[in-house]
Amino acid sequence: MVVERGRVAWVGSEGAAESFADGVDEVADLRGALVTPAFTDAHVHLTATGLALTGLDLAGARDLAGALDRVRAHATARPGDAVLLGHGWDAGEWPGGRPPSRAELDTAAGGRPLYLSRVDVHSAVVTTALLDRVPGVTALAGFTGDGPLTGEAHHAVRRAALAAVTPGERAEAQRAARAQAAACGIGSLHECAGPDISGEDDFTALLALAAREPGPRVFGYWAEPVADAKGAERIRALGAVGAAGDLCADGSLGSRTAHLHEPYADAPHTGTALLDAAAVAAHVTACTEAGLQAGFHAIGDAALTAVTEGVRRAAERLGTARVRAARHRVEHAEMLTPGHVAAFAELALTASVQPAFDAAWGGADGMYARRLGAGRAAGLNPYAALLRAGVPLAFGSDSPVTPFDPWGTVRAAAFHHTPAHRISVRGAFTAHTRGGWRAVGRDDAGVLVPGAPADYAVWERGELVVQAPDERVAAWSTDPRSGTPGLPELLPGGPLPVCLRTVVAGRTVFARPIE
């Protein structure tokens, strides 16, 4: 492969490549390593990811006592922090299933302000000292006397906590997140920001940092409703490629705030509706008329009904072809019914999904089954049905909800807990490379062909195979005569490929020695 001015200029046989050797600035002998397009992570929160990498990460805490021990140690190690920040607790995985009380956190943090987001980032536990920084928080929806905060109360305390992060700390976190992504073979990231998530200063600072410093590309989405052309222009002025990402129609299953048609199996309610079909239609109409991509966060079946009905209303007003051409997107899209899948196909909605969610929470004993019951849980994340219907897929991590792990994500899709939802390794790989580029309206990228951006990763290779998850996949695709290119074997429990180099626009942004 020859790269020139940040793009792929030529691809061919090793023998033919020798004719280029005298005319290039550098020749890289990869010694038989595998070269692939760089991965695209289609849903991330980079500052939050970096703060977890550089700060208090509770993902590994095995019980409540261990989590409190980590809080104490972090408070001792960071005496100068105005607000202590942490992420990743999941009380459902702890003995007893109880999150820390406010009194326990007050003691562990030594009376200091502390914010700890749950693993799904849709609820948090905090100390009294942080609540004291948010006047009127007790009157906001989602406030509880001693339990996790959700909804508006959670958004208010999160804003107060993040306001204490200095510009220097923020830049450090953003650099750490991009460096970690590059080390995982990720060349592009879709930042899903918004006024209730990270704030304008964080968003614009991230885009500026990504523009001036080497590393993975960052495409920014801003989650704010658009009512007219003026609103759309404001989104563009921020540097966003769309008014999409985490514009929330509901919350999450783990925090029991995803909006369902029927009550949760472990709670007597149906979650939280944040947008109805009329609001969705208004946003999609305004964005489509302005030539701006729209999108929503929707997890529960009721939220997905609101989104698909709203987009269909916009299509009835503007014409289906015009709405399809805008390539609007839906994040997570977990609790899809066959009707939702058909609507996604009809309206050309991109499903921006996270297979690692099923790996973490699926199965008979997983969080999904506890929240929904085994029957409903088995229907979540139907990737095979989406592909069969022709729905564009883009894979991501929602980091820091789940970590950057692109090959693990591909494996999670190919070996979904529900066999009927599994897709081929090649299909999953495409969703995590080219799919992310298509989700931002680029059909010329995510592949290594002449003219494409020279965004690629080099991998320590094992055996290359054409792998199908089970016998439902046509046998011809795995027959050598089909010419289907091989990829690393990704059997559950086996080792995953190790990234040796990541290149973005022809520039190396991560490298380790190739032995």
Side-chain angles (χ1 to χ4, degrees), residues 163-180:
V165 177
T166 68
E169 291 169 337
R170 182 173 60 208
E172 177 191 6
Q174 292 168 350
R175 290 190 183 102
R178 292 179 77 224
Q180 179 68 15

Side-chain angles (χ1 to χ4, degrees), residues 205-457:
L206 169 63
L207 296 182
L209 182 145
R212 70 174 181 266
E213 297 184 7
R217 304 171 192 262
V218 177
F219 297 96
Y221 284 93
W222 186 252
E224 187 172 319
V226 172
D228 49 31
K230 183 177 179 181
E233 186 55 38
R234 195 189 105 72
I235 300 295
R236 288 195 176 96
L238 290 173
V241 297
D246 277 333
L247 181 53
C248 291
D250 67 346
S252 73
L253 291 168
S255 292
R256 300 185 186 86
T257 51
H259 187 207
L260 314 182
H261 282 304
E262 300 295 334
Y264 284 85
D266 60 354
H269 62 77
T270 57
T272 306
L274 300 176
L275 295 173
D276 60 16
V280 170
H283 180 69
V284 172
T285 298
C287 287
T288 303
E289 289 179 326
L292 187 67
Q293 189 181 29
F296 306 91
H297 160 122
I299 288 178
D301 53 359
L304 286 160
T305 295
V307 167
T308 52
E309 287 185 356
V311 177
R312 183 172 283 116
R313 290 184 193 179
E316 290 170 352
R317 175 177 175 181
L318 302 175
T320 300
R322 194 173 175 189
V323 168
R324 286 176 60 87
R327 300 193 189 191
H328 303 309
R329 54 190 283 172
V330 180
E331 309 302 312
H332 314 309
E334 293 198 72
M335 208 171 173
L336 292 160
T337 66
H340 295 141
V341 172
F344 271 51
E346 172 195 352
L347 302 164
L349 296 173
T350 294
S352 172
V353 296
Q354 297 75 39
F357 288 6
D358 176 74
W361 303 317
D365 299 322
M367 181 271 288
Y368 288 153
R370 294 195 296 271
R371 292 290 185 269
L372 302 173
R376 283 188 294 178
L380 294 182
N381 304 304
Y383 304 135
L386 288 165
L387 281 186
R388 282 195 302 271
V391 175
L393 288 184
F395 282 177
S397 63
D398 200 9
S399 182
V401 176
T402 62
F404 297 131
D405 182 16
W407 286 113
T409 294
V410 171
R411 178 161 66 187
F415 295 94
H416 195 295
H417 276 96
T418 302
H421 299 337
R422 295 173 179 172
I423 61 176
S424 71
V425 169
R426 171 62 56 177
F429 175 79
T430 300
H432 215 349
T433 50
R434 195 170 191 180
W437 281 97
R438 286 173 167 169
V440 292
R442 293 279 300 273
D443 294 331
D444 63 333
V447 289
L448 298 179
V449 299
D455 291 18
Y456 61 91

